[in-house]
Amino acid sequence: MKIYLASDHAGFDLKEEIKNYLLQKGFEVLDCGNLEKIEDDDYPDFISIASEKVSSEESSRGVVFGKSGEGEAIVANKFKNIRAVVGFNSENVKLTRLDNDANVLCLGSQFVNSNLAKELVDVFLQTPFSEEERHVRRINKIKALE
């Protein structure tokens, strides 16, 4: 599975830590930027690149970072086939994978430390979509809105 990462300056340090964590676990990781910490960069520039990639590659996932994760989710959800969520605890991330087949996890560095981020990323990558009919039906309704 390919994992696309992206962040602005506020999420940069956390992104770098998670990138190394995922590489050590043997994942194929592609960093969509920013590739250096620039204090006045704009998160839509990088989140849009990762979201476009995940949008066009069904089996891939995205993990994006910012200060709150909220703006990143807004940007990611502008793309077809993207179901981006802000992760804040293991149960929230697990449910969004089981029920919504979320494919982009947004993490806010102001609220998620590196240990919690690793836990959330693990849950995000290890939890399969339930494939329950009601969840498939709902996702299809979401897709119809795109």
Side-chain angles (χ1 to χ4, degrees), residues 33-117:
N34 201 345
L35 301 178
E36 57 184 300
K37 193 172 187 177
I38 300 173
E39 292 299 324
D40 64 346
D41 62 7
D42 297 318
Y43 64 87
D45 297 339
F46 311 107
I47 306 310
S48 62
I49 295 169
S51 300
E52 179 69 36
K53 298 284 190 185
V54 175
S55 174
S56 63
E57 296 177 28
E58 189 174 324
S59 64
S60 68
R61 301 253 180 94
V63 182
V64 300
F65 306 83
K67 185 173 185 177
S68 71
E70 299 293 345
E72 292 73 20
I74 292 168
V75 171
N77 280 315
K78 297 292 184 189
F79 290 82
K80 186 176 182 177
N81 301 318
I82 294 296
R83 289 171 305 283
V85 297
V86 177
F88 52 86
N89 67 35
S90 293
E91 187 65 16
N92 131 269
V93 173
K94 181 177 181 179
L95 284 174
T96 198
R97 283 289 310 133
L98 287 170
D99 296 354
N100 306 114
D101 197 19
N103 53 9
V104 175
L105 176 63
C106 308
L107 299 175
S109 64
Q110 183 169 336
F111 305 107
V112 175
N113 64 30
S114 64
N115 288 333
L116 180 56

